[in-house]
Amino acid sequence: MSENKHLCDCKECVIRNLIFAHLKPGEFEHICHQKSEQHFKKGQIVIEKGQPLEHLIYLKSGLVKYYHQTHDGKNSIISISVPYDAFPLLTIFQNNQHATYNMSVLEDSTLCFIPIELIRQLVLNNGEFAFDFIVKLTETSNKTIQHFITLNNKNLRGRVAYFLLNLSNNIYFKDTFELPVSRKEIAELIGMTTENVIRTLSEFRKEKIIKINGKEIEITEKDRLTKISQYG
Amino acid sequence: MSENKHLCDCKECVIRNLIFAHLKPGEFEHICHQKSEQHFKKGQIVIEKGQPLEHLIYLKSGLVKYYHQTHDGKNSIISISVPYDAFPLLTIFQNNQHATYNMSVLEDSTLCFIPIELIRQLVLNNGEFAFDFIVKLTETSNKTIQHFITLNNKNLRGRVAYFLLNLSNNIYFKDTFELPVSRKEIAELIGMTTENVIRTLSEFRKEKIIKINGKEIEITEKDRLTKISQYG
DNA sequence: CGCGGCTTTGATGTTCATCAAGTAAAGTGG
DNA sequence: CCACTTTACTTGATGAACATCAAAGCCGCG
């Protein structure tokens, strides 16, 4: 490629290395010109179940949740996504292009919108891209299914422990961190009531397994927490 | 293609219309020569979690289950697959080619084994195939996730009703049918104990919503069953 | 014909959701 | 910036839903 005054900022984007690793230069430019970025404020709803879906919606910065709402208004969080997570891949290419889940923003976030038609063309014309796409899709799908299986085999203490350990080991990579979500959202994610999330956290505090200061959590006895999570 | 004495029997196979709709003639022959068929008897295990996975394992006839086993030996059934179901797609192309779930046979079954490498080549070289593959993958994944969400939002009566209606409406397309699984397997599929599955079925019988004769079920009051499934 | 797995029902206990009530924190409008 | 309102958090008490335990009948299979 020759030099270009307006360097496409997609080139800096980490997504590139995740699902766009095998793009040819022309394809890359194309995406860059058709994509758009949008900012959302905490709490804003990005898309609701049933709405027409015309873009692959990717998280550049911030935090989002995908959730399901029952007829009586109870929410179940299916996944909380950090930037460059592959979960959005699961939500496109399905029954006549309508959103399967609700998506809203947990923190102020920047989202990237890429027309689905563009992705479809890439799949059709670039085998390596298609393969990468499938691998990511499979991994994400299995991770999500595994999440549900795991929860169904744990009691309340096990679930809360599992949630805390997941944050510590897979997201923040340290033992002290800020909870990115409310107690209510924890409850919706791990399938219990808000009261019982709080109760269980308090128990852990009294048992000196964790320290709590508002949204700040410090895991002081990771071994015990791990055992509780494994439950037996 | 010129005439061929040994017509490939894949040509008759329904799978063709599901994920192999867009194969070019040469590709088709190739699959046909590399695939192999195997018969399994009721109860036999086809593959266990962690074993190397070298084939896309497709169900031609019979019934199989994919399940997860906890450390203390309890099973959760993730999916029960009828012939030509797309669930097997979810199980290939993942972390270094090892099985994610256990797979065993619920009835005497015929399975078709297609080398994964062959599928990979198809994805790389045939964009339409890749696209079909992705759509099926997405649909199956969402159906499975939906299964878990649905269960988590139902009480025991709702779950059993949902299970029966699923068989009646989506599998057998009639109101009288043979249960293809034991009470224990129903329990493992919808996340409750065997005793409570039986108890709930008995309740429905006493309430004259269904008739039971061993494994034969007749749904006599589908409306009420549907309401119970919707729960509220 | 007897053994083991599947099925069924009842009795009991535990886990968890629900209800209630109060405190702390965080928006909101004047 | 403060009064006001709303939302988030916390703890305790209660009851319902469900798992577990126990015991017996049934069926298929060697």
Side-chain angles (χ1 to χ4, degrees):
Chain A
M1 295 247 93
S2 59
E3 287 186 38
N4 189 332
K5 273 182 199 170
H6 306 289
L7 261 180
C8 173
D9 62 345
C10 291
K11 295 213 173 173
E12 321 298 323
C13 183
V14 188
I15 295 175
R16 208 184 148 195
N17 300 315
L18 293 174
I19 65 162
F20 295 140
H22 288 107
L23 284 199
K24 297 159 197 159
E27 293 170 341
F28 200 71
E29 296 294 321
H30 201 194
I31 282 199
C32 203
H33 290 116
Q34 296 225 11
K35 76 126 194 336
S36 70
E37 269 182 41
Q38 246 180 286
H39 298 274
F40 285 80
K41 293 209 169 168
K42 178 173 177 171
Q44 265 195 289
I45 291 173
V46 179
I47 194 159
E48 285 183 298
K49 180 174 177 172
Q51 287 178 349
L53 189 64
E54 284 154 10
H55 299 86
L56 170 60
I57 307 176
Y58 233 88
L59 181 60
K60 264 195 89 172
S61 71
L63 202 67
V64 303
K65 67 174 174 187
Y66 296 86
Y67 63 103
H68 175 265
Q69 197 156 37
T70 58
H71 51 8
D72 57 331
K74 265 195 284 189
N75 289 346
S76 309
I77 297 179
I78 296 144
S79 177
I80 289 179
S81 282
V82 297
Y84 313 123
D85 204 277
F87 192 85
L89 301 188
L90 274 189
T91 70
I92 64 171
F93 293 137
Q94 58 215 352
N95 51 318
N96 49 48
Q97 234 73 326
H98 287 73
T100 320
Y101 312 120
N102 303 290
M103 177 185 185
S104 79
V105 162
L106 292 170
E107 295 173 355
D108 292 9
S109 297
T110 304
L111 305 182
C112 180
F113 291 72
I114 303 172
I116 287 184
E117 180 53 26
L118 202 54
I119 305 285
R120 201 173 79 88
Q121 289 304 326
L122 285 177
V123 168
L124 289 173
N125 298 317
N126 182 338
E128 302 230 346
F129 174 82
F131 184 72
D132 287 356
F133 194 99
I134 287 173
V135 169
K136 277 268 172 289
L137 209 54
T138 307
E139 282 176 4
T140 305
S141 159
N142 278 313
K143 211 194 292 184
T144 308
I145 292 171
Q146 199 59 49
H147 170 75
F148 283 106
I149 295 174
T150 303
L151 289 183
N152 285 344
N153 286 304
K154 289 193 194 308
N155 62 19
L156 297 196
R157 284 170 63 89
R159 286 180 208 182
V160 174
Y162 157 79
F163 168 76
L164 293 176
L165 287 169
N166 190 37
L167 286 182
S168 171
N169 295 335
N170 305 326
I171 309 279
Y172 296 117
F173 304 104
K174 46 187 177 175
D175 292 346
T176 305
F177 51 85
E178 291 267 312
L179 287 176
V181 290
S182 69
R183 312 288 198 255
K184 180 156 171 283
E185 281 158 338
I186 298 175
E188 291 172 355
L189 181 65
I190 60 180
M192 49 196 282
T193 58
T194 309
E195 294 96 319
N196 278 331
V197 167
I198 291 163
R199 234 185 292 274
T200 306
L201 285 172
S202 296
E203 277 176 32
F204 288 170
R205 177 172 47 72
K206 283 172 201 157
E207 296 168 21
K208 309 220 183 282
I209 297 169
I210 61 173
K211 286 179 185 166
I212 306 177
N213 188 359
K215 291 225 182 260
E216 187 179 295
I217 300 283
E218 181 186 347
I219 300 177
T220 50
E221 292 224 40
K222 193 170 256 185
D223 291 353
R224 282 175 66 197
L225 199 62
T226 305
K227 274 196 189 120
I228 292 170
S229 170
Q230 290 167 345
Y231 184 54
Chain B
M1 297 248 93
S2 61
E3 287 186 36
N4 189 333
K5 274 180 195 169
H6 305 289
L7 261 181
C8 173
D9 61 346
C10 291
K11 295 213 172 169
E12 321 299 323
C13 183
V14 188
I15 295 176
R16 210 183 146 195
N17 300 317
L18 292 173
I19 64 161
F20 296 139
H22 289 107
L23 284 199
K24 297 158 196 159
E27 294 170 340
F28 199 71
E29 296 294 321
H30 201 195
I31 282 201
C32 205
H33 290 116
Q34 295 227 12
K35 75 127 197 329
S36 71
E37 268 182 43
Q38 248 180 283
H39 299 276
F40 286 81
K41 293 209 168 166
K42 179 174 176 170
Q44 264 194 289
I45 291 175
V46 179
I47 194 159
E48 286 183 296
K49 179 175 177 172
Q51 287 178 348
L53 190 63
E54 283 154 8
H55 299 86
L56 170 59
I57 307 175
Y58 233 88
L59 181 61
K60 265 196 88 171
S61 71
L63 202 67
V64 302
K65 66 175 173 185
Y66 296 86
Y67 62 103
H68 175 265
Q69 196 156 37
T70 58
H71 51 7
D72 58 330
K74 265 195 283 189
N75 290 345
S76 309
I77 297 179
I78 296 144
S79 177
I80 289 179
S81 281
V82 297
Y84 313 124
D85 203 277
F87 192 84
L89 301 189
L90 273 190
T91 70
I92 65 171
F93 293 137
Q94 58 214 351
N95 51 317
N96 50 48
Q97 234 72 328
H98 286 75
T100 319
Y101 312 120
N102 304 290
M103 177 186 186
S104 79
V105 161
L106 291 170
E107 294 173 355
D108 293 9
S109 297
T110 304
L111 305 183
C112 180
F113 291 74
I114 303 173
I116 288 183
E117 180 54 26
L118 203 54
I119 305 288
R120 200 174 79 89
Q121 288 303 326
L122 286 176
V123 168
L124 289 174
N125 298 316
N126 182 338
E128 303 231 344
F129 173 82
F131 185 73
D132 287 357
F133 194 100
I134 287 174
V135 169
K136 276 268 172 291
L137 209 54
T138 306
E139 281 176 6
T140 305
S141 159
N142 279 313
K143 210 194 291 183
T144 309
I145 292 172
Q146 199 58 49
H147 169 74
F148 283 106
I149 295 174
T150 304
L151 289 183
N152 286 343
N153 286 305
K154 288 191 194 311
N155 63 17
L156 297 196
R157 283 169 65 89
R159 287 181 207 181
V160 173
Y162 157 79
F163 169 77
L164 293 175
L165 288 169
N166 190 37
L167 286 182
S168 172
N169 296 335
N170 305 326
I171 310 280
Y172 296 117
F173 303 104
K174 44 187 177 174
D175 291 347
T176 305
F177 50 84
E178 291 267 311
L179 286 177
V181 290
S182 68
R183 311 288 198 255
K184 181 157 170 281
E185 281 160 338
I186 298 175
E188 291 172 355
L189 181 65
I190 60 181
M192 48 196 283
T193 59
T194 308
E195 293 95 320
N196 278 331
V197 168
I198 291 164
R199 234 185 292 274
T200 307
L201 285 172
S202 296
E203 277 176 32
F204 288 170
R205 177 173 46 74
K206 283 173 201 157
E207 295 166 23
K208 307 220 185 283
I209 298 168
I210 62 173
K211 286 180 185 165
I212 305 177
N213 189 357
K215 291 226 181 262
E216 187 179 296
I217 300 284
E218 181 186 348
I219 300 177
T220 49
E221 292 224 42
K222 193 171 259 187
D223 290 353
R224 282 176 65 199
L225 200 60
T226 305
K227 274 195 190 120
I228 292 171
S229 170
Q230 290 166 345
Y231 185 54

